């Protein structure tokens, strides 16, 4: 939402892996393995983000689009509609 690119090391949790892959697909960050989540590689990505504004621009665009769709409140509303019994 604020245009900040992400470095994600999701581990073995499927949902986190999916979200990390989505960041890569949006070109708003990178997905690192646990083994690659080390200072030299993190430093390389931070420098890349600092010199390539497209990551921030893509993150900002994705954030705006999510807000247009209703953000977290909309997700909660949909879940409540689906799982709340009258």
């Amino acid at each position: 939402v604020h245009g900040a690119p992400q470095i994600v090391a999701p581990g073995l949790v499927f949902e986190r892996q999916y979200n990390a892959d989505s960041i890569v697909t949006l070109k708003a960050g990178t997905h690192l393995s646990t083994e690659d989540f080390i200072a030299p590689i993190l430093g390389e990505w931070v420098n890349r983000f600092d010199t390539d504004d497209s990551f921030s621009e893509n993150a900002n665009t994705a954030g705006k689009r999510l807000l247009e769709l209703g953000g977290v409140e909309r997700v909660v509303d949909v879940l409540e509609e689906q799982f709340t019994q009258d």
Side-chain angles (χ1 to χ4, degrees):
V1 173
H2 301 288
Q6 296 182 41
I7 300 172
V8 183
L12 300 176
V13 179
F14 172 79
E15 179 185 1
R16 292 178 187 168
Q17 291 174 353
Y18 176 84
N19 291 337
D21 290 341
S22 295
I23 294 297
V24 172
T25 299
L26 293 169
K27 298 180 181 169
T30 190
H31 171 185
L32 298 178
S33 68
T34 304
E35 295 80 25
D36 288 339
F37 199 76
I38 58 175
I41 293 175
L42 291 170
E44 289 173 15
W45 276 103
V46 169
N47 287 334
R48 187 169 176 187
F49 293 159
D50 193 40
T51 58
D52 184 347
D53 291 337
S54 69
F55 289 100
S56 293
E57 292 165 4
N58 294 334
N60 194 34
T61 299
K64 286 180 180 179
R65 180 69 180 126
L66 288 172
L67 289 175
E68 288 170 4
L69 293 171
V72 173
E73 286 106 19
R74 179 67 184 135
V75 171
V76 172
D77 289 344
V78 168
L79 290 173
E80 287 177 344
E81 290 170 10
Q82 294 294 316
F83 298 106
T84 301
Q85 300 289 328
D86 289 321

